[in-house]
Amino acid sequence: MKFFADTANLDAISEVNQLGILDGVTTNPSLMAKEGIKGEENIINHYAAICKMVSGDISAEVISTDFEGMMKEGRRLARIADNIVVKVPMIKDGVKALSALTAEGIRTNCTLIFSSGQALVAAKAGATYVSPFVGRIDDIAGNGMELIAQIVHIFSNFSIKTQVLAASVRHPLHIIQSAEMGADVVTCPPSVILQLINHPLTIYRYLLNAQS
Ligand code: G3P
């Protein structure tokens, strides 16, 4: 299973990347804003910096909600680097844009997936990735992991190549459960990936060794 960092913070990306376990990055307009990156040129330059740092796929999200706007933005983002994947929302114009960008050879990540029907539509439109938001489903007393299992099952029934990218992943258990369900990718804050490393028994043994 691939690990993507869900952040636009270069230091945090670099910290996980240096461990040799980072396969890509996902971002969105709010993560960019959190880093104080504003304005089209600054945003493009920031994406370019991430693409240079990490060789895997980097999702860059469109902010338009109409077909023409998404196409214009999508083409612009795709020109930044070969490893850019254009992130498009699961709305009707978004589905049209997924199909059109795919026809142009531009890879896509369909975001804001909350049902297996939406995932199936995105896959039919040629999405490279679908991003079900597990944490936000859990937030409303649903079961995000059941959705991951359902999508993985449906895609496997038809050998669909679209990759299942578990998003809105909030804690290490979400990562482990995504792996159990067969998700192709998880994306989460780098701190959550780093939490996987820690175990009290490892630390205990390490401390004992250090004392002897
Ligand atoms: O991966 C999507 C992510 O950025 C949303 O996460 O925690 O705001 O639901 P969250």
Side-chain angles (χ1 to χ4, degrees):
M1 186 175 68
K2 291 182 217 164
F3 285 176
F4 285 6
D6 195 31
T7 182
N9 184 291
L10 297 182
D11 290 338
I13 292 170
S14 171
E15 188 180 0
V16 184
N17 199 30
Q18 281 175 23
L19 301 181
I21 58 169
L22 190 63
D23 302 294
V25 175
T26 54
T27 60
N28 58 45
S30 37
L31 290 173
M32 280 286 183
K34 203 169 153 194
E35 299 308 317
I37 317 293
K38 289 179 196 143
E40 193 187 336
E41 272 321 297
N42 290 334
I43 289 175
I44 297 286
N45 290 340
H46 201 75
Y47 278 134
I50 297 173
C51 288
K52 267 194 197 138
M53 191 181 281
V54 179
S55 57
D57 287 347
I58 311 301
S59 286
E61 187 164 340
V62 298
I63 50 174
S64 300
T65 51
D66 64 296
F67 173 70
E68 292 302 339
M70 282 190 253
M71 291 304 292
K72 193 173 162 215
E73 273 187 73
R75 290 178 185 127
R76 174 74 188 93
L77 292 168
R79 281 199 299 273
I80 296 173
D82 288 344
N83 54 339
I84 282 282
V85 173
V86 177
K87 206 168 168 189
V88 175
M90 174 36 79
I91 53 176
K92 204 191 274 181
D93 274 30
V95 174
K96 195 174 166 188
L98 286 174
S99 298
L101 290 168
T102 302
E104 292 184 16
I106 295 173
R107 294 180 308 133
T108 56
N109 172 359
C110 185
T111 190
L112 293 168
I113 296 278
F114 294 97
S115 76
S116 52
Q118 291 178 320
L120 195 52
V121 168
K124 284 186 73 71
T128 313
Y129 298 96
V130 287
S131 291
F133 274 36
V134 298
R136 292 196 194 178
I137 291 176
D138 292 355
D139 285 345
I140 56 162
N143 188 330
M145 281 306 144
E146 272 179 13
L147 176 60
I148 298 293
Q150 200 177 18
I151 298 172
V152 168
H153 179 70
I154 290 170
F155 283 10
S156 131
N157 280 349
F158 301 101
S159 303
I160 290 171
K161 291 199 168 41
T162 301
Q163 295 180 55
V164 180
L165 190 165
S168 182
V169 162
R170 309 260 180 83
H171 49 70
L173 190 56
H174 270 155
I175 299 182
I176 302 305
Q177 290 174 328
S178 296
E180 285 176 336
M181 301 303 168
D184 299 285
V185 190
V186 283
T187 190
C188 55
S191 59
V192 177
I193 297 175
L194 295 175
Q195 276 179 275
L196 290 177
I197 295 171
N198 296 326
H199 192 285
L201 294 178
T202 311
I203 303 288
Y204 176 66
R205 176 59 191 263
Y206 178 77
L207 288 175
L208 281 184
N209 282 351
Q211 279 168 8
S212 60

